[in-house]
Amino acid sequence: MAPTLYDKKPEPGDLIEIFRGKYQHWALYVGDGFVVHLAPPSEGPGAGANSMMSVLSDKAKVKKEEIWDVVGHDQWCVNNLLDEKYQVRPIREILREAQAYVDQEMPYCVFRGNCEHFVTELRYGKAESRQVRQAVGMATMVGLGFLAVAGIAAIFGGGSKKKNEEEEEYK
């Protein structure tokens, strides 16, 4: 049995965060030990680096599986991450909609339509991915850092070749 990070037992409609190393997989607990999740072809328990191939996938399938088959030996927790930001939809609606998606193939995009977007859309009616926001934020900070370094180098970087040639003429 996979370890949970907390002793909180999931309730129907809860979001399940599964730690797969460098990323998290997300599922929606629907009761009786089952979850519904959006799974690109490479997603599975212990997928590790293989699951990073999901970046290349443009389709995924909605699956209903036992939580332990999805979690495998990875750590997991209940994480209703947006409960303070958004109102939770009625549990009946969440479960009905989740069940209606089972076995459907859906478009998949790691940036706009991944497993976290899927479950937050079900629970809150808003598709969001904290992982994507964090990755975009880091990329923006790195990009701004490069621009700042380039700007400083241009200002203090010893001038142009033409300026250096002009200085040589006056000597």
Side-chain angles (χ1 to χ4, degrees):
M1 184 183 298
T4 179
L5 293 179
Y6 309 102
D7 290 330
K8 183 177 180 190
K9 183 179 182 231
E11 299 291 330
D14 279 343
L15 302 184
I16 305 297
E17 183 177 18
I18 305 160
F19 300 91
R20 298 266 201 249
K22 296 195 184 289
Y23 78 102
Q24 291 80 42
H25 183 61
W26 290 82
L28 177 85
Y29 187 76
V30 294
D32 297 324
F34 285 87
V35 294
V36 170
H37 63 119
L38 182 64
S42 59
E43 180 60 48
N50 290 337
S51 193
M52 296 306 285
M53 294 303 292
S54 66
V55 172
L56 304 175
S57 182
D58 64 348
K59 298 247 184 261
K61 189 171 185 178
V62 178
K63 297 180 179 180
K64 180 178 179 181
E65 299 180 284
E66 287 193 37
I67 189 169
W68 303 118
D69 289 339
V70 176
V71 170
H73 296 289
D74 296 324
Q75 289 191 332
W76 64 278
C77 67
V78 172
N79 187 355
N80 298 318
L81 69 162
L82 299 173
D83 278 10
E84 292 184 19
K85 186 175 181 181
Y86 300 119
Q87 184 174 348
V88 177
R89 296 174 57 220
I91 301 301
R92 261 194 177 134
E93 288 180 28
I94 295 170
L95 299 179
R96 185 179 64 240
E97 192 172 321
Q99 188 61 45
Y101 280 118
V102 172
D103 292 329
Q104 288 189 28
E105 188 174 84
M106 298 183 66
Y108 182 85
C109 173
V110 73
F111 299 109
R112 288 176 280 132
N114 65 35
C115 57
E116 188 176 1
H117 289 107
F118 176 71
V119 297
T120 57
E121 174 76 32
L122 288 170
R123 184 169 175 87
Y124 307 106
K126 307 278 184 193
E128 287 195 21
S129 175
R130 181 185 61 193
Q131 292 178 96
V132 170
R133 279 197 325 266
Q134 289 172 344
V136 168
M138 277 301 261
T140 301
M141 286 175 45
V142 168
L144 290 174
F146 282 130
L147 288 175
V149 169
I152 290 169
I155 293 170
F156 299 109
S160 69
K161 183 178 176 184
K162 184 175 181 182
K163 183 178 178 184
N164 289 339
E165 289 171 354
E166 288 173 359
E167 288 175 359
E168 288 296 318
E169 288 178 17
Y170 291 113
K171 289 185 179 178

